[in-house]
Amino acid sequence: MTNKEHHPNMHHKKAIVSAICMEDGPKSDDVKLLVLVGVYIIMYKAAADASISPMEKYEKEALYSALQGFVGNEWNGSFLYPDPCGWTTIEGVSCDFSNGFWHVTDLNIGDLYDNSLRCSQAAEFREHLFELKHQLEPITIPISSWDSLANSLESLEFRSNPGLTGTIPTSFGHLNNLQSLVLLENGLKGEIPEALGNLSKLKRLVLAGNNFFGPIPTSLGRLTNLLIFDTSRNFLSGGLPVSIGDLSSLIKLDLSNNRLDGKLPREIGGLKSLTLLDLSHNNFSGGLPETFQEMNSLEELVLSDNPIGDYVTRIQWGNLKNLEMLDLSNMGLKGNIPNSMTEMKKLRFLSLSNNILSGIIPSKFENVSTINALYLDGNDFTGKLEFSPRFYSKLRSRFRASENMNLCSSLELTSTRHFPEGVKQCEQESTVDSKDSDPSLKDEYLSQNPHHIIASFGHSGHAVSRFTFCFVARMILMALLSIIFL
């Protein structure tokens, strides 16, 4: 695309692209795909004559690539002169002549007209089409006409269209055959309609990256075939409905980065098939439901940045045999790290940062062979770190235990390159050997080790007596030998 500096008189114009791809053969009501995409095409002001420069090169290349995505690479537009907006046109491609150039304003691909281009079996939206997304005026999703697709439409997706605004039409609730509804990273707003709970065949519901607000509808609990539910990065508020536990087929649940609050319902433990649960960056409080330990299919559990404020010992973490990632950072958790946390044999990542945890850090974490990241910084742990140099060497910067004022690390690790950063050295203990401090133990020790030589001029009376005895015995032996040989 031509750099903006080369075109100081840049203008923008909105274009709507509609594509209806149908099965080959006679026209049928069996619509396989309908996509409405808001595409915004950059227009440049130029004084060139249309007969000389009918369409700018970048726009023509983007259009041809988009058409090939719909109909296949065998189409190259060679029969068009000089392009789809010139003297030879394609039914379904509409253009507007403005500022000396032709610009595409509307695409209708599929069996709409006698000479329309047919969609291929592998129809796709090429990236070149979505790169043309500059806009001045927003567009909205049409409210009407969805009833006509009630029994045929299976997938409806709007992705990465920041100019697509407005609300989700309640008429979407009439799309009885819909299996996938993806409204990802648009400019949509408003509340999630209760009518979406009528989509009984829905398997994927992705509403992430918009401006939706209000509560999560309780009606969504009726979507018992739902596999993926993602409403992350919105402004949803209120509590998590109890009906969430009825989504028995759910594999992925991502409600992160919203404004949800209240206590997590114990019914969430009913999600037995769930492999990913992300509730991070919300305002949930009131403790951890014990039913978490019943979700034994979980592989990733992310609850960070919620004021949960509970004892981490409430959960039998060892029950989560498949858990690989556990993020409980910045949650106000209290108590000691339970041994059950060291029993998760598939654990790769554990973060307990920025809580109020205390006590000794279990050295058994070193026995979890899969672990490669352990973050324990910002707590009140005490005592001495008992991990081996090999463990620190394995994790390197992925081990953190700083900002624990009463935690220290072994002196013998100071010579290694993997001394835990931010952890102070343990003070050297000036203790007296127990065998020196107790004479009775010293006698027992010497009686069991008769050949032990004490190379000391110290304060032990027993050591001095033994030395004197040996010296006198040696002198007597030498005297006897001298008498015999004389």
Side-chain angles (χ1 to χ4, degrees):
M1 187 176 291
T2 308
N3 200 327
K4 185 175 180 180
E5 286 83 2
H6 296 136
H7 298 274
N9 296 320
M10 181 179 291
H11 295 277
H12 302 78
K13 184 169 182 176
K14 180 179 70 175
I16 306 299
V17 177
S18 307
I20 302 180
C21 295
M22 308 175 66
E23 286 186 331
D24 292 337
K27 296 180 181 179
S28 168
D29 291 335
D30 185 16
V31 181
K32 295 299 182 184
L33 174 67
L34 180 140
V35 184
L36 302 176
V37 183
V39 180
Y40 302 90
I41 298 179
I42 299 179
M43 298 187 63
Y44 300 93
K45 184 175 182 180
D49 182 78
S51 62
I52 300 175
S53 181
M55 180 177 286
E56 291 206 277
K57 181 180 179 181
Y58 88 89
E59 192 165 355
K60 181 178 177 179
E61 291 176 350
L63 175 62
Y64 277 33
S65 177
L67 291 175
Q68 288 175 338
F70 293 136
V71 304
N73 290 328
E74 62 275 6
W75 183 91
N76 58 20
S78 59
F79 64 93
L80 301 174
Y81 181 79
D83 49 57
C85 297
W87 298 339
T88 307
T89 60
I90 302 174
E91 287 290 346
V93 178
S94 301
C95 302
D96 180 29
F97 187 75
S98 175
N99 298 318
F101 292 96
W102 287 109
H103 301 280
V104 178
T105 57
D106 193 71
L107 288 180
N108 294 281
I109 309 299
D111 284 336
L112 299 176
Y113 306 99
D114 292 338
N115 64 340
S116 292
L117 295 174
R118 290 177 177 268
C119 284
S120 72
Q121 293 293 330
E124 63 176 349
F125 280 95
R126 296 278 178 88
E127 60 181 2
H128 302 90
L129 183 62
F130 293 103
E131 287 175 357
L132 306 175
K133 57 185 180 182
H134 302 278
Q135 80 278 0
L136 284 177
E137 299 178 9
I139 61 172
T140 59
I141 300 176
I143 297 176
S144 59
S145 302
W146 294 104
D147 290 350
S148 61
L149 301 170
N151 298 316
S152 56
L153 190 62
E154 296 180 356
S155 179
L156 178 58
E157 302 189 6
F158 294 81
R159 294 175 180 264
S160 302
N161 292 282
L164 183 63
T165 62
T167 61
I168 300 176
T170 56
S171 53
F172 277 8
H174 300 151
L175 301 174
N176 302 323
N177 208 39
L178 198 65
Q179 298 182 29
S180 177
L181 176 58
V182 178
L183 308 176
L184 176 64
E185 295 177 350
N186 299 293
L188 297 171
K189 58 184 179 180
E191 296 190 0
I192 300 174
E194 288 273 355
L196 296 187
N198 299 329
L199 305 177
S200 59
K201 294 185 178 181
L202 201 64
K203 296 181 179 179
R204 180 169 59 167
L205 178 57
V206 178
L207 308 177
N210 286 280
N211 300 305
F212 296 122
F213 55 82
I216 296 175
T218 57
S219 63
L220 298 186
R222 300 199 298 265
L223 304 179
T224 54
N225 290 308
L226 199 63
L227 302 176
I228 298 174
F229 184 24
D230 185 352
T231 64
S232 61
R233 293 176 288 131
N234 281 288
F235 301 95
L236 300 177
S237 58
L240 195 59
V242 172
S243 61
I244 201 77
D246 297 329
L247 302 177
S248 55
S249 300
L250 205 61
I251 296 175
K252 174 184 175 181
L253 176 59
D254 189 348
L255 307 178
S256 62
N257 291 279
N258 280 285
R259 298 174 179 175
L260 299 169
D261 56 23
K263 187 175 182 178
L264 294 173
R266 65 182 312 277
E267 286 77 8
I268 199 171
L271 304 178
K272 306 295 185 183
S273 301
L274 204 65
T275 61
L276 182 148
L277 175 60
D278 191 346
L279 303 178
S280 62
H281 294 90
N282 280 287
N283 295 308
F284 290 118
S285 59
L288 295 168
E290 294 181 8
T291 52
F292 267 145
Q293 64 198 31
E294 301 173 12
M295 304 166 69
N296 49 25
S297 294
L298 270 180
E299 297 175 4
E300 298 183 38
L301 176 58
V302 185
L303 304 176
S304 56
D305 294 282
N306 282 285
I308 294 291
D310 199 1
Y311 285 92
V312 72
T313 52
R314 182 182 296 275
I315 308 297
Q316 291 297 320
W317 299 100
N319 292 350
L320 304 178
K321 301 296 185 183
N322 294 300
L323 200 63
E324 299 179 7
M325 176 180 179
L326 178 59
D327 190 349
L328 303 178
S329 57
N330 197 26
M331 293 175 58
L333 297 177
K334 300 173 286 187
N336 299 345
I337 296 179
N339 284 328
S340 62
M341 272 194 171
T342 66
E343 298 170 0
M344 297 181 285
K345 298 306 180 183
K346 293 186 178 181
L347 194 64
R348 295 183 295 105
F349 176 99
L350 173 61
S351 179
L352 299 173
S353 301
N354 300 315
N355 284 291
I356 321 172
L357 298 171
S358 56
I360 305 297
I361 295 175
S363 60
K364 289 183 179 180
F365 278 124
E366 189 165 355
N367 298 331
V368 183
S369 60
T370 55
I371 198 164
N372 56 34
L374 180 59
Y375 300 115
L376 306 170
D377 49 304
N379 283 283
D380 292 327
F381 292 121
T382 58
K384 177 181 176 182
L385 287 173
E386 298 289 352
F387 299 118
S388 69
R390 183 178 180 181
F391 184 72
Y392 295 120
S393 177
K394 174 185 174 182
L395 270 62
R396 296 181 180 269
S397 62
R398 295 184 301 276
F399 177 84
R400 287 206 304 260
S402 57
E403 299 182 57
N404 287 282
M405 298 300 296
N406 297 311
L407 183 68
C408 67
S409 187
S410 175
L411 279 175
E412 50 264 29
L413 291 175
T414 57
S415 59
T416 72
R417 294 178 300 167
H418 310 302
F419 189 82
E421 184 178 354
V423 179
K424 64 184 179 181
Q425 299 178 9
C426 295
E427 296 181 4
Q428 189 172 9
E429 297 178 357
S430 56
T431 59
V432 180
D433 191 290
S434 60
K435 294 187 287 293
D436 289 337
S437 60
D438 191 333
S440 63
L441 292 177
K442 173 64 74 174
D443 289 338
E444 180 182 354
Y445 177 78
L446 292 175
S447 66
Q448 295 176 1
N449 298 274
H451 302 292
H452 182 76
I453 299 176
I454 301 179
S456 172
F457 297 99
H459 52 270
S460 172
H462 296 280
V464 173
S465 297
R466 180 176 178 84
F467 179 83
T468 304
F469 173 79
C470 292
F471 178 79
V472 172
R474 181 180 178 185
M475 295 300 293
I476 294 173
L477 180 60
M478 291 177 66
L480 289 173
L481 289 174
S482 62
I483 293 173
I484 292 172
F485 286 105
L486 288 174

